[in-house]
Amino acid sequence: MIQAGNKVSTRKKKENLKAYAFMAPALIIVVLFTIIPIIGSLVLMFYDYSVLGTTKFIGFDNFIKAFQDREFIIAMENSIIFVVIVPIIQLLSILLALIVNQKLPGISVFRTLFYIPVVTSMVAVSIMWGFIFDSHGIINTMLQDWRWISQPLGFLHSKYTAMPCLMFITVWQGLGYYMMMYLAGLQGIPAELTEAARIDGANGIQTVFKIKIPLLKPYIWLCTLNSVISAIGVFDVVFVLTQGGPNNATMVINYYSYTKAFGDFQFGYAAAIGAIQAVLTSILSIVVFIYGRKGGMSNNE
């Protein structure tokens, strides 16, 4: 019995070693490019770091500077405004999931078409929409051909339309991802529940709002949380299309931190901005989490 127990223990150790060996490459990458930079930034935010000159400890001066910096305040406000797309993208995703959950001819093609933007690089998506929104792009060309406008509209060059355009691109790119999440939730709902509701006299709309939506609450909570984090951390679409302009209309925290670090070489200040962004993201995530718990967004409630 003792020998058998030793053999089992040895086999488990070998299996564990194999598992760690398979995980090692990914863990090394995470440590080198995520954990170590995070630890480094936690130290860096308290320093006036200079690549060429002297580096000195300045305590909380970077944080004080941030809240006295008008550009940073604008960037923070724009990042919070970006969160407005969260309920829009969730509502549209649920609606699409309800549509593609139907047994209709060609529905698999429809699902694929909506998911293609998800697996496409956001940089490529941004470039494509940049051509579409260009003064000589398809939208302006069609509007001029139809004689609805006499001069091209500067969608990405106006402080009134640039941010809505970026928000639209983000919604368009992420819609398929959340649609598939909700579709998975809908397909996990037992068919007996909806059949019983129909037998009791419920119509299609009542079935959706009384059975399907309540059972999707855990998915709504998770998708909303992910969407809030993504909205606060938006960067690539701003970097490719507007660089924070015009007149800081699309300046967001992530891009502002990037410009301070790699444009002005104020690495300590950029690290402090990143820390403030992390706190802001955490606060909004906690709000979503608390709201979700109160709303019963759990399979156990």
Side-chain angles (χ1 to χ4, degrees), residues 92-93 95-102 104-117 175-176 179-180 183:
L92 291 176
S93 298
L95 179 61
L96 277 175
L98 290 168
I99 293 171
V100 301
N101 194 40
Q102 306 297 316
L104 300 173
I107 202 67
S108 58
V109 176
F110 188 76
R111 294 175 187 173
T112 304
L113 290 174
F114 265 94
Y115 198 74
I116 286 174
L175 204 56
M179 177 196 74
M180 295 303 287
L183 180 61

Side-chain angles (χ1 to χ4, degrees), residues 11 31-32 79 88 96 101 165 167 196 219 228 230 251 282 285:
R11 188 171 68 250
V31 170
L32 287 177
S79 293
I88 297 171
L96 277 175
N101 194 40
C165 286
M167 294 168 76
Y219 294 88
V228 166
S230 299
M251 181 65 73
S282 300
S285 300

